[in-house]
Amino acid sequence: AIKEEEETEKQPIVPSFEETEYFQKISEVRKEKKTKHLKKIRNFINGNEVYWNLIFEPIFEGDGEIKEILILIIDITAEIKSSIIMEKTLKSQEEFLANISHELKTPLNVIFATAQLLNMYCTGSSLEEKKDFIIKYIDSIKQNSYRLSKLINNIVDLSKIEAGFFE
């Protein structure tokens, strides 16, 4: 017995024009007799990424029938690429601010907690017996205050560098 071999359909590497979104928009213009758009179409030309907006504009004859369809291709590569760069910049600024806020809050929390503890010792009558602890806590306040001051100075210097006032 001879088995019949199944025929497999061969898929083209490049779709036929009828399968493209360009053909779909042209068909819609012909059917609806209205302007249609394709936005942010990504292509590669000579290995370079480019973005286009396309406008499919019907041109009518005197009797209202479509004579031809004008296709306008608008290069929006610069706008898209600058938008991508801006999004990355904003994301890194958000990450920077999140990190900075964490770095600022840590010593501030230590200072605040230490101040509360010192207040507790001062309102109680145990100042003399807790003198060594109080000195230790005052050192902690100083150390964390210096840390905060250094962080704030770094932020100020960074903003001056970005503004072009400082190298």
Side-chain angles (χ1 to χ4, degrees), residues 118 121 130-142:
L118 288 173
Y121 287 151
K130 301 286 184 182
K131 186 176 182 182
D132 291 337
F133 286 111
I134 292 171
I135 290 170
K136 179 181 151 197
Y137 293 136
I138 289 171
D139 288 341
S140 176
I141 287 176
K142 286 180 186 176

Side-chain angles (χ1 to χ4, degrees), residues 28-95:
E28 289 174 15
V29 169
R30 291 174 67 197
K31 181 180 175 185
E32 299 173 25
K33 297 185 179 184
K34 291 182 182 178
T35 302
K36 295 292 176 180
H37 301 87
L38 281 176
K39 296 185 178 186
K40 296 182 184 176
I41 302 300
R42 182 174 165 218
N43 289 294
F44 288 91
I45 298 178
N46 297 329
N48 295 317
E49 187 177 42
V50 295
Y51 292 88
W52 297 332
N53 281 344
L54 285 90
I55 302 171
F56 299 83
E57 183 70 38
I59 307 295
F60 297 100
E61 293 191 47
D63 62 359
E65 290 301 313
I66 295 177
K67 178 180 177 182
E68 56 191 12
I69 298 174
L70 178 65
I71 301 174
L72 300 171
I73 301 173
I74 302 164
D75 185 356
I76 58 167
T77 304
E79 292 89 347
I80 295 294
K81 288 188 176 181
S82 66
S83 174
I84 290 168
I85 290 168
M86 188 174 299
E87 285 173 14
K88 287 180 183 176
T89 302
L90 287 174
K91 185 178 179 187
S92 34
Q93 283 180 345
E94 288 170 5
E95 290 172 3

